[in-house]
Amino acid sequence: MFLSLKSADSNQTQFSIWVEYLCSNIQYQPAKQAIAGFPAMLTFADRVHSDEDPDPISVAAQFPQEIAKLLHFSGKDRDIRQFEHFLDQAEQLGYRHLLLLSGDKLKKHQDGKEQFTERTRYLESVNAVMAAKKRDKFSIGVAFNPFKYTEAESDAQYFKLHKKIQAGADFLITQLGFDLDKIKQTQTRLINDYPHFPLIACVMPLTFRRARYMLKHQVAGIVLPQHILKILEEEHLKDPVQAKKNVYERCALQILICKHLGYAGIHLSACHQPEEQQQLEQAIKKYQAFTLDDCKEHWNILWRAESESVFQPDVKPLANKVKMAQLIKYRTLDWMHRFFFDSPVAMGVGQFIFKPSFWNRSKANQILLSIEYISKHSLVGCESCGQCRLADTLYICPETCPKGLANGPCGGTTIDRCEFGDRECIHSIKARVAKVVGQTEILKTKLIPTVSIDKRNTSSWKNWYEAECKD
């Protein structure tokens, strides 16, 4: 069930505004009950400012109980057991609305290197949704980044969105962005596939200072082309008072455009102070009677946008063709997998290794782990996860993703490049290969379970055989 409100005179969902609070600073005054006539509720972001921010549950408890609240959960540097504890707390305290995220890279990764020896793990949003859905207690939101500008990158996002919805998501919140074409495309595609699925857009009163900060710190998944920065800087230097007014008018127009397009509401960032909300409210009221076309026209005037291309990234795309070596690798490994694991051969090999009494079983386990690692590490990047998912990921190992994501990409890629900046996103590669070999459906529908900690550094071959024997 969606978390928004119903109109008093109809059964339709009422357009609402969810005001975001960062848990790193809890000295904010609560948002108003309504902004320009739209119901206003609270949402608490998780681990945005730093990796050690207070948790949303403890921060939400400091606000009036009667106000609706949406709690974020970021999976970065967390595992399924920590998430289950979060769900226990949320359930006990009566919180029912959650936004589940894989999370951006840890701040300690900013230099491109982890400051510790053991690899960081990320609890993937798909797996978090699956775990939360089992409890049948929560309204579950997921994030989606439509601001992708290559075919593979965009496809990969939509493939994973299908998985999130299949896993049990109840509503969707987009990444912050300013490309109206992408905002419209998202609404159109959702209506085609999921006609009644609620869609919320993330918006922000974008000042020059905020834009400059996001560019400097390379905030994951946000597209800020030079045209936007140029306009904001010119306004800021020429007339700061008018620049501030323009900031809130742009935000108001984007909110109204989303409402006209059929969005269920907006997730409002960087607008928690009463004076900020008052300025936004005044701007919304100024344009509230405008049609969709009127709003778009004024939006383009304020941004001095002659076409939508000014909102698109300035970065050139990487090579976007499937390499012959990738196809050969896929077809070879697929044949090998079918031969060894979809035939009696594997069971016969397993019985030879594990059944004979003269064979030292623990030694066999260790030998098998070593053989598996040696044979697969150089070929696909295997890290002995103990739960091989290669057949579900087109033989591109999810362990080669810095976050270890198996079900699909995070939202932090830029023109097919990984958020970590040192490689191409493996999920873009998967999306390309899948189209060529006719396997896109598996990337949309196969929900890959999270790898339990106790399975890591064990042989997936042994684990597979033992699971098959139980069946």
Side-chain angles (χ1 to χ4, degrees):
M1 181 178 176
F2 179 47
L3 70 170
S4 189
L5 305 177
K6 301 290 182 181
S7 300
D9 56 352
S10 76
N11 289 323
Q12 292 196 350
T13 299
Q14 189 173 6
F15 188 87
S16 55
I17 296 177
W18 289 84
V19 183
E20 181 185 54
Y21 285 71
L22 301 186
C23 292
S24 55
N25 188 341
I26 59 173
Q27 302 305 315
Y28 305 145
Q29 298 182 41
K32 298 194 297 182
Q33 296 281 7
I35 296 176
F38 301 126
M41 287 80 83
L42 305 180
T43 175
F44 298 91
D46 185 29
R47 296 189 171 186
V48 171
H49 183 264
S50 78
D51 302 332
E52 291 78 33
D53 283 353
D55 68 274
I57 289 180
S58 62
V59 174
Q62 302 180 42
F63 289 78
Q65 187 174 2
E66 63 273 13
I67 300 177
K69 302 176 183 68
L70 171 65
L71 306 185
H72 298 203
F73 181 90
S74 171
K76 61 182 180 181
D77 202 18
R78 286 172 169 151
D79 59 38
I80 192 68
R81 289 179 292 193
Q82 291 167 303
F83 180 59
E84 293 285 0
H85 177 65
F86 167 83
L87 292 177
D88 289 340
Q89 288 183 299
E91 190 173 336
Q92 290 168 9
L93 295 171
Y95 297 118
R96 293 294 179 262
H97 309 312
L98 309 177
L99 177 64
L100 306 181
L101 313 156
S102 299
D104 58 354
K105 67 180 181 181
L106 292 168
K107 300 300 185 281
K108 65 186 75 176
H109 287 291
Q110 293 298 343
D111 295 329
K113 296 180 180 179
E114 298 187 64
Q115 302 303 312
F116 44 84
T117 56
E118 198 156 327
R119 175 177 173 176
T120 303
R121 300 292 172 184
Y122 290 70
L123 177 62
E124 197 165 2
S125 56
V126 171
N127 303 119
V129 173
M130 292 167 67
K133 198 66 179 179
K134 289 178 182 178
R135 302 197 178 208
D136 199 27
K137 299 282 187 182
F138 301 103
S139 174
I140 303 169
V142 292
F144 172 69
N145 192 338
F147 305 103
K148 302 300 177 185
Y149 294 89
T150 71
E151 182 181 10
E153 190 176 41
S154 180
D155 285 344
Q157 288 291 324
Y158 277 99
F159 292 156
K160 188 168 186 177
L161 176 56
H162 283 286
K163 287 190 178 188
K164 291 176 181 179
I165 296 174
Q166 183 183 337
D170 297 299
F171 63 96
L172 171 66
I173 298 180
T174 70
Q175 172 63 282
L176 175 67
F178 306 94
D179 186 340
L180 296 186
D181 274 357
K182 291 294 186 182
I183 291 172
K184 171 62 177 174
Q185 287 171 22
T186 303
Q187 184 262 355
T188 301
R189 292 186 74 163
L190 260 291
I191 282 181
N192 289 336
D193 293 328
Y194 310 98
H196 306 294
F197 195 77
L199 182 57
I200 300 173
C202 184
V203 302
M204 171 192 286
L206 186 65
T207 64
F208 172 60
R209 180 181 176 185
R210 286 171 185 152
R212 187 172 56 181
Y213 175 90
M214 286 190 285
L215 282 172
K216 178 181 178 181
H217 293 275
Q218 298 180 324
V219 177
I222 295 181
V223 177
L224 284 178
Q226 286 303 311
H227 178 83
I228 286 181
L229 194 66
K230 179 184 176 183
I231 297 299
L232 294 175
E233 184 175 21
E234 288 177 357
E235 291 179 347
H236 175 74
L237 294 175
K238 183 179 179 181
D239 186 347
V241 175
Q242 183 61 43
K244 192 173 185 179
K245 183 180 177 182
N246 289 349
V247 163
Y248 288 95
E249 291 199 0
R250 290 188 187 104
C251 187
L253 286 167
Q254 188 171 6
I255 290 170
L256 293 171
I257 287 169
C258 289
K259 183 176 185 297
H260 281 300
L261 289 175
Y263 278 65
I266 59 103
H267 184 278
L268 180 62
S269 296
C271 193
H272 43 260
Q273 298 291 357
E275 60 271 18
E276 295 171 334
Q277 294 174 11
Q278 183 179 7
Q279 291 179 81
L280 179 60
E281 187 170 38
Q282 291 172 352
I284 292 175
K285 289 178 178 178
K286 177 179 177 179
Y287 296 110
Q288 208 152 17
F290 278 33
T291 66
L292 174 59
D293 288 340
D294 290 337
C295 288
K296 287 182 176 179
E297 181 182 352
H298 280 72
W299 168 269
N300 289 330
I301 289 172
L302 283 174
W303 280 118
R304 291 180 242 165
E306 296 181 0
S307 71
E308 283 297 313
S309 62
V310 302
F311 299 106
Q312 297 174 6
D314 307 309
V315 184
K316 293 181 179 180
L318 296 170
N320 56 8
K321 292 184 178 180
V322 178
K323 298 175 182 177
M324 183 57 67
Q326 291 171 339
L327 286 178
I328 293 173
K329 182 177 176 180
Y330 167 79
R331 297 192 188 284
T332 302
L333 292 176
D334 187 51
W335 178 86
M336 291 176 66
H337 175 83
R338 292 176 189 278
F339 179 77
F340 285 109
F341 294 96
D342 292 338
S343 72
V345 174
M347 293 302 291
V349 172
Q351 289 174 2
F352 171 75
I353 293 176
F354 294 108
K355 292 294 185 181
S357 56
F358 63 85
W359 186 254
N360 185 313
R361 183 164 179 158
S362 62
K363 187 175 182 180
N365 289 342
Q366 193 58 45
I367 292 173
L368 201 60
L369 175 62
S370 298
I371 293 173
E372 182 177 2
Y373 179 80
I374 292 170
S375 64
K376 291 165 64 177
H377 178 71
S378 60
L379 186 62
V380 296
C382 173
E383 289 188 9
S384 301
C385 71
Q387 184 177 303
C388 189
R389 297 149 287 170
L390 285 173
D392 300 327
T393 60
L394 278 69
Y395 306 97
I396 297 171
C397 183
E399 296 298 302
T400 59
C401 166
K403 296 180 181 180
L405 304 183
N407 282 289
C410 64
T413 59
T414 303
I415 313 295
D416 288 328
R417 186 167 292 282
C418 173
E419 180 187 343
F420 285 66
D422 60 344
R423 71 197 76 192
E424 186 176 12
C425 175
I426 67 165
H427 303 287
S428 288
I429 299 172
K430 277 197 311 184
R432 284 192 217 108
V433 172
K435 277 196 166 182
V436 173
V437 300
Q439 291 291 335
T440 56
E441 201 62 24
I442 194 171
L443 300 186
K444 292 169 62 177
T445 60
K446 179 63 178 181
L447 303 181
I448 304 172
T450 188
V451 176
S452 61
I453 294 175
D454 55 0
K455 275 192 177 180
R456 290 194 175 275
N457 297 314
T458 64
S459 170
S460 68
W461 293 343
K462 175 185 74 70
N463 296 335
W464 174 86
Y465 172 78
E466 293 179 345
E468 288 294 310
C469 284
K470 288 180 182 178
D471 294 341

